[in-house]
């Protein structure tokens, strides 16, 4: 039997999977939807506790801040290219709307980026995916 293929880290981030097993979902609900998204406390597949220590996700605010700055700069430049406006009210209105639209995205992906890429003590363990592939005939 050939070795099972493992989920790449980038795909695990995009699909909101656990950083340890890359099988279990970190979030319940969609990023944008009627119901509010909620983060699981532990991975439903491997039992990994996402909040490694109390207050761990305060660090995700820094990641979210970096994402927000990139989004605001990009949106501001695009607004200028489209409108050529010199009115600060145009930019203020567009940027407030952009920040509100990106807030659910930033909430989810700042935590995912923090756990997958910026936390050295969280390591991927392929045995969980291998066990899953063995259970499926």
């Amino acid at each position: 039997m050939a070795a099972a293929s493992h989920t790449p880290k980038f795909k695990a981030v995009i699909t909101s999977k656990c950083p340890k097993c890359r099988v279990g979902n970190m979030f319940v609900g969609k990023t944008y939807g009627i119901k509010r998204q909620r983060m699981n406390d532990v991975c439903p597949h491997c039992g990994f506790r996402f909040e490694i220590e109390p207050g761990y996700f305060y660090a995700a605010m820094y990641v979210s801040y970096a994402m927000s700055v990139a989004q605001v700069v990009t949106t501001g430049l695009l607004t200028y290219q489209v409108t050529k406006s010199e009115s600060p009210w145009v930019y203020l209105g567009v940027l407030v709307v952009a920040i509100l639209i990106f807030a659910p995205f930033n909430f989810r992906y700042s935590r995912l980026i923090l756990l997958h890429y910026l936390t050295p003590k969280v390591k991927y363990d392929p045995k969980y995916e291998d066990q899953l592939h063995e259970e499926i005939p």
Side-chain angles (χ1 to χ4, degrees), residues 5-7 18-22 122-127 129:
S5 64
H6 296 131
T7 305
C18 169
K20 187 167 185 173
C21 68
R22 297 185 187 169
V122 176
K123 301 282 187 226
Y124 167 62
D125 191 349
K127 77 176 181 183
E129 274 192 297

Side-chain angles (χ1 to χ4, degrees), residues 71-98:
Q71 293 158 355
V72 163
V73 168
T74 302
T75 304
L77 291 172
L78 288 173
T79 302
Y80 175 75
Q81 289 295 319
V82 171
T83 67
K84 304 285 190 216
S85 176
E86 293 182 13
S87 170
W89 297 108
V90 170
Y91 294 98
L92 184 65
V94 169
L95 294 178
V96 166
V97 168

Side-chain angles (χ1 to χ4, degrees), residues 16-131:
S16 302
K17 299 296 182 186
C18 169
K20 187 167 185 173
C21 68
R22 297 185 187 169
V23 175
N25 291 324
M26 276 184 62
F27 288 88
V28 176
K30 297 180 180 179
T31 308
Y32 295 99
I34 306 279
K35 289 183 138 185
R36 200 174 125 218
Q37 65 177 322
R38 182 183 62 79
M39 186 172 171
N40 289 321
D41 293 330
V42 296
C43 175
H45 184 74
C46 70
F48 174 70
R49 183 160 190 71
F50 295 125
E51 189 169 15
I52 296 168
E53 56 194 37
Y56 175 74
F57 285 115
Y58 284 122
M61 290 189 304
Y62 296 104
V63 178
S64 179
Y65 175 74
M67 293 168 65
S68 293
V69 168
Q71 293 158 355
V72 163
V73 168
T74 302
T75 304
L77 291 172
L78 288 173
T79 302
Y80 175 75
Q81 289 295 319
V82 171
T83 67
K84 304 285 190 216
S85 176
E86 293 182 13
S87 170
W89 297 108
V90 170
Y91 294 98
L92 184 65
V94 169
L95 294 178
V96 166
V97 168
I99 289 168
L100 292 174
I101 288 172
F102 280 116
F105 176 87
N106 291 347
F107 170 76
R108 178 177 288 221
Y109 288 100
S110 65
R111 290 174 178 226
L112 284 159
I113 289 168
L114 178 67
L115 276 171
H116 280 271
Y117 291 104
L118 303 175
T119 307
K121 61 178 152 181
V122 176
K123 301 282 187 226
Y124 167 62
D125 191 349
K127 77 176 181 183
Y128 293 105
E129 274 192 297
D130 293 340
Q131 288 171 351

